[in-house]
Amino acid sequence: MFSPPAAVVSWPYFDPEYETLSSRINPPRIIIDNDSHDDATLVKVNSANKHGILLEVVQELTDLDLNISKAYIASDGGWFMDVFHVTDQQGNKIREADVLEHIQKALRTRKSKVSAEFSRCAAGKFVGAESSTEHTVLELTGKERPGLLSEVFAVVTDMNCRVHASEFWTHNKRVACVVYITDEDTSGPLTNVKKLESIKQKLHLVMQGDDERRNATTTVADGTTHTERRLHQLMLADEDYEANDQLEKSKSMAGKEEKPTVTVQTPHHQRGYSVINVRCKDRPKLLFDTVCTLTDMQFDVFHATATPDSSGPWALQEFHIRQTDGRTLSPDAEEHVKKCLEAAIERRSSKGLRLELCTSDRVGLLSDVTQIFRENGLSVTRADVSTQGDKAMDVFYVTDASGNPVDKTVEAIKRNYPILGVKESSPSSISSSPESSSSSNEQATSPLNSFLKTSESFFHGITTGWKMSTVA
């Protein structure tokens, strides 16, 4: 009988602090081929095999902002051989010599041990004990509702703390959030035990809300793991893959083509694998999301392919897997695995208007911004908050309170709302735009217009400003 994975993934993954003897004797061999294909750079990885190595490599390529368009994986016989077709974010081959050298170095060393120095220069990439000298990292799960993120940031601000980085995911009316904070009294992590317990208690009440059926969680990270992997773990442990009938009905009304298709084939007993096939809309980080979930559910991937579908903007993935104890999937487990992989694919596919904020950071900035969203009927479905020096670099995906789009096209928004359409270099350039005085009936009734009118004076104090795009 297959056991649900919640207990397995409820705690962070602790990376080993040393390389195995096999890895030291047989260090990874990285080959970068820029000649075989016109449209992609080939990255070939040969290494001794171990559980989780595929995720390590995919995670590294993803963190380097590379798109994986194709992948071919084989790891039988204790040896791991992968070929990845990668491009930059614009879909171009990687040609810069220094970038290619950096890819080789990163894949050879990988982040088996996250240094404090790395945590400082990449806050938000990793969570856990290694960054405890710089930040306190809080992990939150609970029920999704409009205004939740505003309440979270308001609690942090009221406790005289600053948010340095945060990621916020929603799926199936559940929420997972990782927040890096520092104490303004000490300019460091929260060392005051009473203050830390107080903020945890207040955040727990916020995350719990009025949900009497499922418990919320508010904890301090006590291990080291990749932030996005941790979010997958938190949502998997929270069982976000279990959608109620109303959610399933709304998904079916949205269109069957939007939902990923996951099938599990009956194992071929002579080969000893379970075979999983995935078909869904292609997007960045898709391979990371599926491999991450399979790894945290304690599966080993022996063979896999990931390719685009020639029939449209779809991706096809096939995984030949076994559980880490060598067993294939039982019939009882197949449906559970399908649900978990579907959830892993859907979590990152937040729809809505993408708003990017770049401005000088200050205590309470995020509380002010998200409060404006809340007061004007905009709901945050996903957020990625980071700080670079003294600048806040924040991304929010917003819909109306019912989850519907707030507008149809980027160009229409730029035309009607120039204050949000482009990044401005100064407040005066925003207010002097000749389009800023235009109005229409559509503007008067739009949630986005209401959002702008209420927050105009706040935006004029932003030195860099906003830009936006829609997400399909």
Side-chain angles (χ1 to χ4, degrees):
M1 181 69 68
F2 181 80
S3 299
V8 175
V9 300
S10 58
W11 299 105
Y13 166 77
F14 290 86
D15 285 308
E17 295 188 356
Y18 56 88
E19 294 290 335
T20 63
L21 177 60
S22 176
S23 297
R24 293 198 300 268
I25 296 174
N26 301 295
R29 185 183 179 206
I30 313 299
I31 300 173
I32 296 183
D33 177 0
N34 243 343
D35 300 323
S36 297
H37 287 261
D38 295 332
D39 57 353
T41 298
L42 271 58
V43 179
K44 304 175 183 180
V45 182
N46 294 335
S47 174
N49 193 25
K50 65 176 181 179
H51 177 68
I53 188 172
L54 174 59
L55 177 58
E56 288 181 14
V57 174
V58 171
Q59 175 183 298
E60 198 68 53
L61 293 172
T62 301
D63 284 348
L64 291 170
D65 285 332
L66 300 174
N67 286 330
I68 302 173
S69 57
K70 296 180 183 179
Y72 303 93
I73 292 100
S75 59
D76 273 336
W79 196 253
F80 175 81
M81 294 179 290
D82 275 12
V83 178
F84 299 94
H85 294 230
V86 302
T87 63
D88 62 18
Q89 293 297 310
Q90 288 71 46
N92 303 316
K93 294 175 66 172
I94 315 301
R95 298 186 183 278
E96 297 81 359
D98 57 338
V99 176
L100 295 173
E101 181 180 353
H102 184 68
I103 294 172
Q104 280 212 352
K105 182 178 179 181
L107 289 175
R108 278 198 300 266
T109 58
R110 295 196 296 275
K111 301 185 188 79
S112 57
K113 183 178 181 180
V114 183
S115 65
E117 180 181 1
F118 179 84
S119 296
R120 282 195 294 273
C121 65
K125 286 284 189 183
F126 281 73
V127 300
E130 295 292 346
S131 59
S132 61
T133 59
E134 300 291 325
H135 313 88
T136 295
V137 186
L138 301 175
E139 300 174 345
L140 317 173
T141 64
K143 180 182 178 181
E144 181 191 4
R145 54 185 169 82
L148 176 61
L149 190 59
S150 173
E151 293 181 37
V152 168
F153 289 146
V155 168
V156 174
T157 301
D158 290 344
M159 296 296 293
N160 196 31
C161 294
R162 182 192 296 261
V163 176
H164 289 265
S166 178
E167 284 208 44
F168 175 87
W169 287 7
T170 62
H171 178 247
N172 277 353
K173 299 300 181 182
R174 304 300 296 175
V175 168
C177 185
V178 174
V179 190
Y180 276 76
I181 64 173
T182 56
D183 190 338
E184 282 296 286
D185 295 333
T186 63
S187 299
L190 275 74
T191 55
N192 185 320
V193 176
K194 289 185 178 180
K195 186 172 184 177
L196 180 58
E197 286 303 313
S198 178
I199 196 170
K200 284 173 58 180
Q201 291 175 10
K202 291 180 179 181
L203 286 173
H204 184 79
L205 291 174
V206 168
M207 299 303 296
Q208 186 66 48
D210 60 357
D211 190 352
E212 298 179 353
R213 296 176 299 171
R214 300 174 68 175
N215 289 328
T217 64
T218 304
T219 59
V220 177
D222 61 353
T224 303
T225 191
H226 188 271
T227 301
E228 293 178 349
R229 181 178 185 183
R230 187 63 187 136
L231 287 165
H232 277 300
Q233 291 175 339
L234 290 170
M235 299 205 88
L236 186 61
D238 192 51
E239 299 183 357
D240 71 311
Y241 49 83
E242 293 292 355
N244 57 38
D245 293 339
Q246 184 177 358
L247 279 173
E248 290 293 346
K249 183 178 179 180
S250 65
K251 286 183 180 180
S252 63
M253 291 176 63
K256 294 183 179 180
E257 69 279 4
E258 299 291 334
K259 187 176 177 62
T261 302
V262 180
T263 60
V264 181
Q265 297 179 16
T266 303
H268 190 295
H269 295 290
Q270 291 182 346
R271 299 293 297 275
Y273 301 125
S274 296
V275 181
I276 295 176
N277 286 278
V278 177
R279 184 180 185 272
C280 63
K281 279 195 171 181
D282 201 4
R283 59 167 173 79
K285 300 189 179 183
L286 176 62
L287 186 61
F288 170 84
D289 294 336
T290 52
V291 170
C292 182
T293 299
L294 289 172
T295 302
D296 284 325
M297 292 180 71
Q298 299 301 303
F299 292 112
D300 287 321
V301 177
F302 289 88
H303 300 279
T305 58
T307 60
D309 189 343
S310 59
S311 64
W314 306 96
L316 303 175
Q317 297 181 354
E318 181 176 275
F319 300 97
H320 295 241
I321 66 168
R322 296 191 198 115
Q323 293 177 236
T324 52
D325 59 7
R327 292 181 298 165
T328 55
L329 283 174
S330 67
D332 293 339
E334 291 181 5
E335 188 63 28
H336 179 75
V337 172
K338 287 167 60 177
K339 287 182 178 181
C340 291
L341 284 173
E342 288 171 359
I345 294 166
E346 292 173 344
R347 286 171 196 144
R348 201 189 295 272
S349 302
S350 299
K351 295 183 180 180
L353 186 73
R354 175 187 169 103
L355 295 174
E356 298 182 16
L357 171 63
C358 174
T359 187
S360 297
D361 191 30
R362 61 173 173 81
V363 176
L365 172 66
L366 290 166
S367 178
D368 290 342
V369 172
T370 51
Q371 182 178 352
I372 292 168
F373 291 158
R374 180 182 183 182
E375 290 175 350
N376 292 275
L378 299 178
S379 181
V380 179
T381 62
R382 207 175 107 213
D384 184 356
V385 172
S386 63
T387 305
Q388 298 180 15
D390 63 348
K391 292 291 184 183
M393 310 289 289
D394 306 334
V395 177
F396 302 94
Y397 294 80
V398 298
T399 65
D400 68 14
S402 301
N404 300 314
V406 295
D407 215 324
K408 295 181 179 180
T409 67
V410 177
E411 289 306 316
I413 294 172
K414 286 183 177 180
R415 182 175 62 254
N416 294 329
Y417 313 109
I419 193 174
L420 283 181
V422 295
K423 288 188 175 181
E424 302 289 347
S425 59
S426 66
S428 60
S429 64
I430 297 177
S431 58
S432 63
S433 170
E435 297 178 48
S436 60
S437 61
S438 63
S439 63
S440 66
N441 292 334
E442 181 182 356
Q443 284 177 283
T445 58
S446 167
L448 195 58
N449 187 57
S450 176
F451 165 54
L452 288 173
K453 289 177 64 177
T454 304
S455 57
E456 183 175 1
S457 61
F458 173 75
F459 285 139
H460 281 187
I462 293 176
T463 59
T464 306
W466 293 81
K467 72 176 183 179
M468 80 198 68
S469 62
T470 54
V471 180

PDB file of all heavy atoms in Angstrom, residues 395-409:
ATOM      1  N   VAL A 395       7.306  41.737  -7.690  1.00  0.00           N
ATOM      2  CA  VAL A 395       6.388  41.323  -8.749  1.00  0.00           C
ATOM      3  C   VAL A 395       5.120  40.789  -8.098  1.00  0.00           C
ATOM      4  O   VAL A 395       5.186  39.944  -7.192  1.00  0.00           O
ATOM      5  CB  VAL A 395       7.011  40.237  -9.653  1.00  0.00           C
ATOM      6  CG1 VAL A 395       6.000  39.776 -10.696  1.00  0.00           C
ATOM      7  CG2 VAL A 395       8.271  40.755 -10.330  1.00  0.00           C
ATOM      8  N   PHE A 396       3.972  41.271  -8.543  1.00  0.00           N
ATOM      9  CA  PHE A 396       2.676  40.817  -8.039  1.00  0.00           C
ATOM     10  C   PHE A 396       1.804  40.392  -9.217  1.00  0.00           C
ATOM     11  O   PHE A 396       1.791  41.055 -10.261  1.00  0.00           O
ATOM     12  CB  PHE A 396       1.956  41.932  -7.274  1.00  0.00           C
ATOM     13  CG  PHE A 396       2.717  42.494  -6.115  1.00  0.00           C
ATOM     14  CD1 PHE A 396       3.510  43.617  -6.275  1.00  0.00           C
ATOM     15  CD2 PHE A 396       2.657  41.897  -4.872  1.00  0.00           C
ATOM     16  CE1 PHE A 396       4.226  44.145  -5.218  1.00  0.00           C
ATOM     17  CE2 PHE A 396       3.363  42.409  -3.800  1.00  0.00           C
ATOM     18  CZ  PHE A 396       4.155  43.546  -3.975  1.00  0.00           C
ATOM     19  N   TYR A 397       1.066  39.297  -9.036  1.00  0.00           N
ATOM     20  CA  TYR A 397       0.056  38.879 -10.003  1.00  0.00           C
ATOM     21  C   TYR A 397      -1.294  39.133  -9.346  1.00  0.00           C
ATOM     22  O   TYR A 397      -1.576  38.606  -8.259  1.00  0.00           O
ATOM     23  CB  TYR A 397       0.203  37.396 -10.341  1.00  0.00           C
ATOM     24  CG  TYR A 397       1.486  37.059 -11.070  1.00  0.00           C
ATOM     25  CD1 TYR A 397       2.685  36.926 -10.385  1.00  0.00           C
ATOM     26  CD2 TYR A 397       1.504  36.878 -12.453  1.00  0.00           C
ATOM     27  CE1 TYR A 397       3.872  36.618 -11.049  1.00  0.00           C
ATOM     28  CE2 TYR A 397       2.675  36.574 -13.121  1.00  0.00           C
ATOM     29  CZ  TYR A 397       3.854  36.447 -12.412  1.00  0.00           C
ATOM     30  OH  TYR A 397       5.018  36.148 -13.071  1.00  0.00           O
ATOM     31  N   VAL A 398      -2.136  39.954  -9.989  1.00  0.00           N
ATOM     32  CA  VAL A 398      -3.385  40.351  -9.355  1.00  0.00           C
ATOM     33  C   VAL A 398      -4.578  40.050 -10.250  1.00  0.00           C
ATOM     34  O   VAL A 398      -4.497  40.105 -11.480  1.00  0.00           O
ATOM     35  CB  VAL A 398      -3.377  41.855  -8.989  1.00  0.00           C
ATOM     36  CG1 VAL A 398      -2.271  42.157  -7.982  1.00  0.00           C
ATOM     37  CG2 VAL A 398      -3.233  42.738 -10.215  1.00  0.00           C
ATOM     38  N   THR A 399      -5.684  39.719  -9.615  1.00  0.00           N
ATOM     39  CA  THR A 399      -6.989  39.560 -10.261  1.00  0.00           C
ATOM     40  C   THR A 399      -7.990  40.367  -9.445  1.00  0.00           C
ATOM     41  O   THR A 399      -7.628  40.983  -8.434  1.00  0.00           O
ATOM     42  CB  THR A 399      -7.426  38.092 -10.296  1.00  0.00           C
ATOM     43  OG1 THR A 399      -7.623  37.635  -8.936  1.00  0.00           O
ATOM     44  CG2 THR A 399      -6.384  37.217 -10.971  1.00  0.00           C
ATOM     45  N   ASP A 400      -9.262  40.351  -9.866  1.00  0.00           N
ATOM     46  CA  ASP A 400     -10.260  40.937  -8.984  1.00  0.00           C
ATOM     47  C   ASP A 400     -10.562  39.943  -7.864  1.00  0.00           C
ATOM     48  O   ASP A 400      -9.996  38.843  -7.816  1.00  0.00           O
ATOM     49  CB  ASP A 400     -11.515  41.362  -9.750  1.00  0.00           C
ATOM     50  CG  ASP A 400     -12.320  40.182 -10.308  1.00  0.00           C
ATOM     51  OD1 ASP A 400     -12.083  39.030  -9.897  1.00  0.00           O
ATOM     52  OD2 ASP A 400     -13.187  40.428 -11.162  1.00  0.00           O
ATOM     53  N   ALA A 401     -11.432  40.328  -6.944  1.00  0.00           N
ATOM     54  CA  ALA A 401     -11.679  39.505  -5.761  1.00  0.00           C
ATOM     55  C   ALA A 401     -12.270  38.146  -6.096  1.00  0.00           C
ATOM     56  O   ALA A 401     -12.153  37.194  -5.313  1.00  0.00           O
ATOM     57  CB  ALA A 401     -12.599  40.246  -4.794  1.00  0.00           C
ATOM     58  N   SER A 402     -12.881  38.024  -7.281  1.00  0.00           N
ATOM     59  CA  SER A 402     -13.477  36.746  -7.701  1.00  0.00           C
ATOM     60  C   SER A 402     -12.527  35.899  -8.528  1.00  0.00           C
ATOM     61  O   SER A 402     -12.904  34.833  -9.008  1.00  0.00           O
ATOM     62  CB  SER A 402     -14.758  37.014  -8.503  1.00  0.00           C
ATOM     63  OG  SER A 402     -15.700  37.731  -7.732  1.00  0.00           O
ATOM     64  N   GLY A 403     -11.312  36.395  -8.751  1.00  0.00           N
ATOM     65  CA  GLY A 403     -10.344  35.648  -9.541  1.00  0.00           C
ATOM     66  C   GLY A 403     -10.398  35.929 -11.019  1.00  0.00           C
ATOM     67  O   GLY A 403      -9.739  35.247 -11.810  1.00  0.00           O
ATOM     68  N   ASN A 404     -11.175  36.942 -11.430  1.00  0.00           N
ATOM     69  CA  ASN A 404     -11.290  37.287 -12.838  1.00  0.00           C
ATOM     70  C   ASN A 404     -10.230  38.311 -13.242  1.00  0.00           C
ATOM     71  O   ASN A 404      -9.741  39.066 -12.405  1.00  0.00           O
ATOM     72  CB  ASN A 404     -12.687  37.859 -13.124  1.00  0.00           C
ATOM     73  CG  ASN A 404     -13.789  36.876 -12.791  1.00  0.00           C
ATOM     74  OD1 ASN A 404     -13.710  35.701 -13.152  1.00  0.00           O
ATOM     75  ND2 ASN A 404     -14.810  37.346 -12.098  1.00  0.00           N
ATOM     76  N   PRO A 405      -9.895  38.367 -14.537  1.00  0.00           N
ATOM     77  CA  PRO A 405      -8.899  39.340 -14.988  1.00  0.00           C
ATOM     78  C   PRO A 405      -9.359  40.770 -14.716  1.00  0.00           C
ATOM     79  O   PRO A 405     -10.560  41.070 -14.775  1.00  0.00           O
ATOM     80  CB  PRO A 405      -8.794  39.071 -16.495  1.00  0.00           C
ATOM     81  CG  PRO A 405      -9.304  37.671 -16.675  1.00  0.00           C
ATOM     82  CD  PRO A 405     -10.349  37.479 -15.624  1.00  0.00           C
ATOM     83  N   VAL A 406      -8.387  41.656 -14.450  1.00  0.00           N
ATOM     84  CA  VAL A 406      -8.738  43.053 -14.200  1.00  0.00           C
ATOM     85  C   VAL A 406      -8.750  43.867 -15.476  1.00  0.00           C
ATOM     86  O   VAL A 406      -9.244  44.972 -15.500  1.00  0.00           O
ATOM     87  CB  VAL A 406      -7.778  43.701 -13.177  1.00  0.00           C
ATOM     88  CG1 VAL A 406      -7.922  43.036 -11.837  1.00  0.00           C
ATOM     89  CG2 VAL A 406      -6.341  43.621 -13.658  1.00  0.00           C
ATOM     90  N   ASP A 407      -8.201  43.341 -16.558  1.00  0.00           N
ATOM     91  CA  ASP A 407      -8.293  43.991 -17.856  1.00  0.00           C
ATOM     92  C   ASP A 407      -7.902  42.970 -18.916  1.00  0.00           C
ATOM     93  O   ASP A 407      -7.388  41.901 -18.612  1.00  0.00           O
ATOM     94  CB  ASP A 407      -7.407  45.230 -17.935  1.00  0.00           C
ATOM     95  CG  ASP A 407      -8.035  46.325 -18.782  1.00  0.00           C
ATOM     96  OD1 ASP A 407      -8.695  45.982 -19.776  1.00  0.00           O
ATOM     97  OD2 ASP A 407      -7.862  47.497 -18.446  1.00  0.00           O
ATOM     98  N   LYS A 408      -8.119  43.322 -20.199  1.00  0.00           N
ATOM     99  CA  LYS A 408      -7.964  42.340 -21.257  1.00  0.00           C
ATOM    100  C   LYS A 408      -6.584  42.321 -21.880  1.00  0.00           C
ATOM    101  O   LYS A 408      -6.027  41.262 -22.115  1.00  0.00           O
ATOM    102  CB  LYS A 408      -9.025  42.583 -22.335  1.00  0.00           C
ATOM    103  CG  LYS A 408     -10.445  42.344 -21.845  1.00  0.00           C
ATOM    104  CD  LYS A 408     -11.445  42.567 -22.968  1.00  0.00           C
ATOM    105  CE  LYS A 408     -12.867  42.306 -22.488  1.00  0.00           C
ATOM    106  NZ  LYS A 408     -13.851  42.527 -23.565  1.00  0.00           N
ATOM    107  N   THR A 409      -6.013  43.468 -22.207  1.00  0.00           N
ATOM    108  CA  THR A 409      -4.746  43.488 -22.921  1.00  0.00           C
ATOM    109  C   THR A 409      -3.787  44.470 -22.291  1.00  0.00           C
ATOM    110  O   THR A 409      -4.183  45.475 -21.688  1.00  0.00           O
ATOM    111  CB  THR A 409      -4.945  43.877 -24.402  1.00  0.00           C
ATOM    112  OG1 THR A 409      -5.380  45.229 -24.467  1.00  0.00           O
ATOM    113  CG2 THR A 409      -5.943  42.964 -25.089  1.00  0.00           C
TER     114      THR A 409
END
